[in-house]
Amino acid sequence: MDNKYLTYIRNFSIIAHIDHGKSTLADRILELTNTIEKRKMKEQFLDNMDLERERGITIKAKAVQLKYNFDNKEYILNLIDTPGHVDFSYEVSRSLSSTEGALLVVDASQGVEAQTMANAYIAINLNLTLIPVINKIDLKNADIEKTKKQIEELLAIPGDSAIPSSAKEGKGIKEILDAIIERIPPPKGDINKPLKALIMDAQFDYYKGVIIFVRVYEGVIKKGMKIRMMSSNTEWEISQVGIFKPEMIEIDELKAGFVGFLVAGIKSINDVKIGDTITDSKNPTINPLPGFKTVKPMVFCGLFPTNTEQYNELKESLQKLKLNDASLFFEPESSDALGFGFRCGFLGLLHMEIIQERLEREYKLNLIATAPNVEYKIILTNNEFILCDSPSKFPDFSKIEKIEEPYVKLSIITPKNFVGNLMQLCQERRGLYITTEYISADRAILIYEMPLAEIIWDFYDKLKSQSRGYATMDYEIIDFRPGDLQKVDILVNHERVDSLSFITHKSFAYRKAKALVEKLKEVVPRQLFAVPIQGAIGGSIIARETIPALRKNVLAKCYGGDITRKRKLLEKQKEGKKRMKQIGSLEIPQEAFLAILKIDQ
């Protein structure tokens, strides 16, 4: 069969920092290519989730096929829209590996930001053709020449190759489409070779089962064909193949170079590994596509329903979300204070916020989330090691040889005025200084290596407040390193509350424990007996506050008489309070569990 059709195909992505106009640019491209009828068009068309539209971010990658006439020839353009946030960087790398080129969108008023660079480096490492687009040229403070200079200095891409545009006003869109055809190479591939296709993403449909989004590199995918997943070694029969326009349209076959979807009667999303290679079970390819790795959660927290009767609803809701989000991890967890819930793993703090908000909005659940944790590597005295994502799962400290924690390489781009403040912030969070590079007369890049645990709390908020919102950051996991870490237990009325325990560095243990017991004193309601709140490391109490008892006025009925009568009533009350203290238990409000998130503020 002839492979000449590949000459008229272009596969490309759009990458950018958050809020640089990526989704708006995608809207204008859809309009100019007449992919969407004008009456159906709306802002952020490819962002179809409510949260995506409200926050102005892309959470899930989307694919859409466009047709464009250039030089009196019709070309097929496959656009793969990607998320911009650091939490979804694996999704970005998967999308980029499905294309031959990318539009690198840079805001003309803000210049090159941290995540612009991170995504650009992923594309450069994949040998993709990058077309820089300087967006938002309609803004009063747009500086096109300065942005071109930054693109040249930071990314080693000729500044003159950048295309000025305004996605809002529709300027420069035709030039961008022409550049896609002229600069991005057509896909390589051979229709006659054994099937080799990449699983880009998957979603669950209650009628069809799992719908798999694929990029075909070699061979053909047809209806009725038997396929094999190379990492799980499972086989399935295809019942439907098609393309996105952007709604799903069924076609006869997907050939090498195409992006589309397939349905094969797969009932569980756990049977599909994102990034895996699909091949023909009768005539398999020998080598899978490179770059496959299992998605690994980095941030963990407990999710508990405020009403214990909602436990089964929470379980069902998490299972439904897992069908459309393979990166979500959860397992049952029980807590003495909070009852039954789930220990959930996320790609990062934004991912955690998104999942919690979707559970509360879409499934009408009221949830308490415990403080976020990272996964620690614990080496025991018998030379075995375990991975632990919750303070309640920590083994006895007498059995621990050492604890290792995940470290990240942190890149911060900031105006030079805030370099001192941000260096101080990084040093306070145990950051190891690597280098400072001045990328222009007024902007610098700070590179630090820092424990992930120091970033997931409130580091991003502090970064923005210290730099008045101008600094941006990006990070990547590098390795596990030993740390002098301690588990701090919180005791309320001499009882350990497992959900308030936290892991911290030895140098911060006293300060954090003291701050937390002081916060808890404010939020735990007073009882008729005194309630001690203590912070402890092992058997040593390192911080304590006491909630004073409420006092009932037992002398109210005494209008006079001898003082001994009053004293007798007070002694009786004192004895009663002793008994109450021995058997007294108290309810802890959910504000107490939120207090742990605010101890650094």
Side-chain angles (χ1 to χ4, degrees):
M1 290 172 75
D2 195 358
N3 293 310
K4 280 184 182 174
Y5 70 93
L6 288 167
T7 312
Y8 301 104
I9 295 177
R10 298 290 184 273
N11 296 323
F12 73 101
S13 289
I14 306 178
I15 52 176
H17 188 80
I18 293 170
D19 203 30
H20 278 209
K22 179 165 51 64
S23 296
T24 312
L25 180 61
D27 287 348
R28 297 294 86 77
I29 289 172
L30 291 173
E31 272 181 2
L32 191 66
T33 53
N34 297 317
T35 306
I36 309 295
E37 291 177 43
K38 282 236 166 138
R39 62 190 178 86
K40 291 183 181 177
M41 196 65 204
K42 58 185 178 184
E43 283 188 22
Q44 290 173 257
F45 189 89
L46 295 177
D47 294 342
N48 48 23
M49 211 185 287
D50 285 344
L51 274 172
E52 289 181 314
R53 305 181 73 76
E54 280 174 28
R55 289 176 175 238
I57 58 172
T58 302
I59 295 167
K60 296 295 288 176
K62 315 287 187 314
V64 59
Q65 189 181 102
L66 325 163
K67 287 189 176 173
Y68 182 63
N69 279 311
F70 177 77
D71 230 3
N72 295 323
K73 297 181 185 73
E74 189 175 69
Y75 286 78
I76 291 173
L77 309 180
N78 289 308
L79 159 61
I80 297 165
D81 190 26
T82 59
H85 196 275
V86 61
D87 282 11
F88 308 109
S89 58
Y90 180 52
E91 193 136 340
V92 174
S93 67
R94 239 178 22 244
S95 303
L96 291 178
S97 62
S98 307
T99 63
E100 284 73 42
L103 300 178
L104 181 68
V105 181
V106 181
D107 187 326
S109 63
Q110 294 179 27
V112 175
E113 303 276 28
Q115 281 157 240
T116 318
M117 288 177 63
N119 292 338
Y121 290 150
I122 295 172
I124 290 163
N125 290 336
L126 291 166
N127 294 320
L128 301 191
T129 301
L130 282 176
I131 301 173
V133 173
I134 299 174
N135 194 25
K136 302 191 183 182
I137 59 168
D138 54 300
L139 296 179
K140 285 181 182 176
N141 57 341
D143 192 336
I144 298 171
E145 291 309 312
K146 187 178 173 184
T147 309
K148 280 183 181 180
K149 198 175 176 187
Q150 285 181 10
I151 289 169
E152 202 157 295
E153 289 174 353
L154 292 176
L155 304 171
I157 301 169
D160 293 336
S161 68
I163 301 168
S165 83
S166 167
K168 188 178 178 183
E169 296 182 354
K171 291 177 185 171
I173 308 302
K174 186 180 183 305
E175 287 79 359
I176 291 168
L177 287 166
D178 291 349
I180 288 167
I181 290 164
E182 289 172 338
R183 299 191 206 173
I184 295 176
K188 292 173 184 172
D190 190 339
I191 204 167
N192 303 305
K193 285 187 178 177
L195 173 64
K196 191 187 280 189
L198 173 78
I199 299 177
M200 291 161 35
D201 206 348
Q203 70 180 48
F204 187 80
D205 184 279
Y206 283 101
Y207 302 104
K208 296 177 180 178
V210 179
I211 300 169
I212 301 172
F213 301 179
V214 293
R215 156 73 202 270
V216 186
Y217 284 88
E218 308 279 4
V220 185
I221 296 178
K222 293 180 181 175
K223 189 176 175 179
M225 184 177 176
K226 276 205 167 179
I227 54 166
R228 181 189 299 162
M229 312 282 189
M230 292 188 80
S231 80
S232 57
N233 209 26
T234 53
E235 294 190 359
W236 309 90
E237 187 175 324
I238 294 176
S239 58
Q240 188 182 2
V241 295
I243 54 170
F244 301 98
K245 294 278 288 173
E247 67 279 3
M248 294 181 190
I249 294 175
E250 191 173 351
I251 59 172
D252 296 332
E253 60 183 22
L254 287 174
K255 297 185 282 191
F258 273 56
V259 175
F261 70 90
L262 64 88
V263 178
I266 303 169
K267 295 289 183 283
S268 169
I269 202 137
N270 294 326
D271 292 326
V272 178
K273 302 278 188 291
I274 308 299
D276 195 2
T277 303
I278 294 174
T279 190
D280 187 345
S281 63
K282 290 178 184 173
N283 181 23
T285 187
I286 301 164
N287 301 315
L289 292 160
F292 170 66
K293 59 179 179 180
T294 307
V295 181
K296 196 171 183 298
M298 299 311 304
V299 175
F300 298 82
C301 84
L303 288 178
F304 296 86
T306 51
N307 179 357
T308 50
E309 292 173 6
Q310 286 191 320
Y311 173 77
N312 285 328
E313 287 177 50
L314 174 59
K315 184 180 179 182
E316 285 172 21
S317 304
L318 282 167
Q319 285 169 341
K320 286 175 184 172
L321 277 186
K322 171 82 176 168
L323 292 173
N324 288 320
D325 188 349
S327 52
L328 172 64
F329 156 87
F330 65 93
E331 63 180 14
E333 181 181 46
S334 64
S335 158
D336 295 338
L338 299 173
F340 292 101
F342 291 91
R343 190 83 192 155
C344 300
F346 310 94
L347 298 174
L349 270 191
L350 177 72
H351 190 213
M352 179 180 121
E353 274 181 49
I354 295 291
I355 294 293
Q356 190 181 343
E357 205 163 330
R358 287 187 69 186
L359 286 167
E360 291 181 339
R361 277 191 191 195
E362 296 172 27
Y363 301 100
K364 306 289 185 286
L365 296 169
N366 288 317
L367 300 173
I368 294 176
T370 61
N373 280 101
V374 298
E375 189 171 59
Y376 295 95
K377 191 176 184 179
I378 301 173
I379 290 90
L380 303 173
T381 48
N382 61 3
N383 286 331
E384 290 181 7
F385 79 87
I386 55 172
L387 292 170
C388 189
D389 57 47
S390 167
S392 60
K393 294 178 186 173
F394 257 60
D396 190 277
F397 263 71
S398 61
K399 296 176 184 174
I400 296 175
E401 182 67 35
K402 65 176 177 179
I403 303 171
E404 294 185 350
E405 58 182 333
Y407 264 70
V408 299
K409 182 185 176 186
L410 177 70
S411 308
I412 299 171
I413 295 186
T414 174
K416 67 176 183 182
N417 307 359
F418 307 114
V419 166
N421 291 353
L422 297 181
M423 288 179 89
Q424 188 180 344
L425 174 66
C426 291
Q427 277 153 5
E428 284 170 4
R429 298 302 177 95
R430 298 191 285 138
L432 300 170
Y433 173 74
I434 304 299
T435 184
T436 304
E437 294 172 20
Y438 280 87
I439 53 179
S440 67
D442 58 349
R443 297 216 313 167
I445 302 180
L446 298 175
I447 308 288
Y448 274 83
E449 289 179 358
M450 190 180 289
L452 178 61
E454 299 296 336
I455 288 177
I456 65 165
W457 283 63
D458 61 347
F459 184 82
Y460 187 70
D461 295 340
K462 289 268 168 79
L463 178 90
K464 286 294 182 188
S465 65
Q466 297 270 18
S467 66
R468 298 184 199 159
Y470 286 109
T472 59
M473 63 174 255
D474 185 77
Y475 64 85
E476 58 177 308
I477 304 292
I478 43 178
D479 53 16
F480 277 82
R481 298 182 190 177
D484 195 355
L485 302 165
Q486 292 180 326
K487 176 188 173 189
V488 179
D489 288 314
I490 300 297
L491 289 77
V492 178
N493 200 26
H494 307 292
E495 287 183 22
R496 191 171 269 104
V497 182
D498 53 356
S499 302
L500 289 174
S501 301
F502 59 92
I503 309 296
T504 188
H505 192 261
K506 186 179 180 180
S507 59
F508 302 150
Y510 169 71
R511 180 170 61 81
K512 285 190 173 181
K514 189 169 186 338
L516 182 54
V517 295
E518 285 172 359
K519 284 266 183 197
L520 290 173
K521 184 183 177 184
E522 295 170 15
V523 295
V524 174
R526 288 173 71 180
Q527 309 294 313
L528 290 169
F529 51 91
V531 177
I533 298 176
Q534 298 160 306
I537 296 174
S540 306
I541 304 298
I542 61 167
R544 171 178 171 136
E545 291 287 335
T546 303
I547 301 171
L550 280 170
R551 185 177 170 203
K552 183 181 176 186
N553 188 2
V554 290
L555 304 181
K557 57 190 174 185
C558 296
Y559 294 105
D562 191 29
I563 187 68
T564 53
R565 186 174 170 222
K566 292 181 180 178
R567 199 168 286 143
K568 197 186 287 182
L569 284 168
L570 289 170
E571 288 297 324
K572 190 178 175 185
Q573 183 187 40
K574 199 174 176 183
E575 288 300 315
K577 284 201 174 187
K578 276 185 188 171
R579 283 202 305 276
M580 189 184 273
K581 195 172 183 178
Q582 285 167 11
I583 60 169
S585 63
L586 69 156
E587 284 191 359
I588 299 173
Q590 55 182 305
E591 287 81 11
F593 300 97
L594 299 175
I596 197 168
L597 298 171
K598 297 174 185 169
I599 58 176
D600 274 341
Q601 291 177 10

